[in-house]
Amino acid sequence: MQLALPFPDIDPVLFSVEIGPLTLALRWYALAYIGGILIGWWIIRRAVARSALWHRETPMVAEEVDELLTWIIVGIILGGRLGFVFFYQPAYYLENPLDILKVWEGGMAFHGGLLGVGLALLLFSRRFGVSLVGAADLLAIATPPGLLLGRIANFVNAELWGRPTDMPWGVIFPGLRAQSCPGVDGLCARHPSQLYEAGLEGLLLGGLLLVIAFGRGGLKVPGQMTGLFLAGYGIGRFIVEYFRQADPQFITLDNPMGFVLQWGWSGITMGQLLSLPMVALGLAILAAAHLLARRSKSA
């Protein structure tokens, strides 16, 4: 029998309270969102409080950071949900449009959330006269903790698991879908790809951004942290997709414009397809940021 790790006995619900006919429950996934947002808010507050970190002046004051928090929450929820609807299950929600509102049943997409946050940031910067680039750099260093906690919550929920593996750290996830592994006799172990993402997108990328921002003067080059985050996340997500079970919407190399129900290692997954523009945009922003910084010094 191959070596594998049993899935830990963790209840996705932290606690629940019954109030009459209603049951109110706090799930680890919701707590991850709350914790990620609060940690990000704390990081931004620390950054704007230290004027020495910036080239000229901080892009916003503490009161504006508190206001920004509300805008970002709305952008995350609306963008993440609509991104999941349009990127991953458009046919289903076209037939069941009311289910779009059932956020409590799950279904959020990071790339959609990123677009939602980007739009919220654009509107916020225009509304309050805040530097868009500076605010984007702040969000770049504040986002990885949320990614770390969110992916750990995905693991607790036994969702978004990886492809079958015979590695000794493979995890035997519960459920019929997780155990539906063609060619595997007995229990099927899978890559804990949620934890891979937590390590790459949360710990590694987040730690790198914080070191550069707070210890290497990264915020003195406007746009640098934004470019590093976009490129870093895109690269990390592209790599993890080789270990993560592909989403049902799968694009094959011989049919790049068509969506088909196919699982496998060939072709490009939806996660990889959405990450490629992030890498390109991040590198372009990074190059432009350093070019403008050099011109500013020579002027």
Side-chain angles (χ1 to χ4, degrees), residues 79-94 106-113 151 160 197 233 237 241 244-251 259-261 263 268-275 278:
R81 183 58 172 174
L82 293 178
F84 179 80
V85 169
F86 291 111
F87 294 154
Y88 294 98
Q89 294 189 10
Y92 171 80
Y93 287 105
L94 184 62
M108 298 285 282
F110 170 79
H111 295 92
R151 294 311 182 191
L160 305 183
E197 288 193 74
Y233 176 88
R237 177 64 181 269
E241 285 288 319
R244 174 174 165 172
Q245 182 67 62
D247 296 295
Q249 296 74 15
F250 198 87
I251 295 180
F259 294 90
V260 295
L261 295 175
W263 306 91
I268 300 174
T269 69
M270 176 60 81
Q272 289 175 322
L273 180 68
L274 295 173
S275 295
M278 287 187 65

Side-chain angles (χ1 to χ4, degrees), residues 44-129:
I44 292 177
R45 287 288 297 252
R46 290 290 299 265
V48 300
R50 298 173 59 180
S51 58
L53 294 176
W54 303 88
H55 175 54
R56 292 176 181 172
E57 60 182 7
T58 57
M60 64 181 73
V61 296
E63 292 75 14
E64 291 171 331
V65 174
D66 297 339
E67 182 70 27
L68 175 63
L69 182 64
T70 303
W71 291 66
I72 294 305
I73 292 174
V74 174
I76 290 173
I77 295 175
L78 291 181
R81 183 58 172 174
L82 293 178
F84 179 80
V85 169
F86 291 111
F87 294 154
Y88 294 98
Q89 294 189 10
Y92 171 80
Y93 287 105
L94 184 62
E95 295 180 358
N96 305 274
L98 293 180
D99 286 356
I100 296 176
L101 302 177
K102 298 179 180 179
V103 181
W104 57 89
E105 293 184 355
M108 298 285 282
F110 170 79
H111 295 92
L114 181 65
L115 292 175
V117 168
L119 179 59
L121 191 61
L122 177 61
L123 296 175
F124 175 85
S125 64
R126 290 185 175 182
R127 171 68 175 79
F128 294 94

Side-chain angles (χ1 to χ4, degrees), residues 26 40-41 53 69 109 155 159 169 176 211 219 241 254 258 264 280 296:
L26 177 62
W41 168 81
L53 294 176
L69 182 64
F155 179 81
E159 61 188 3
W169 58 82
L176 293 177
V211 168
L219 292 171
E241 285 288 319
D254 58 347
S296 178

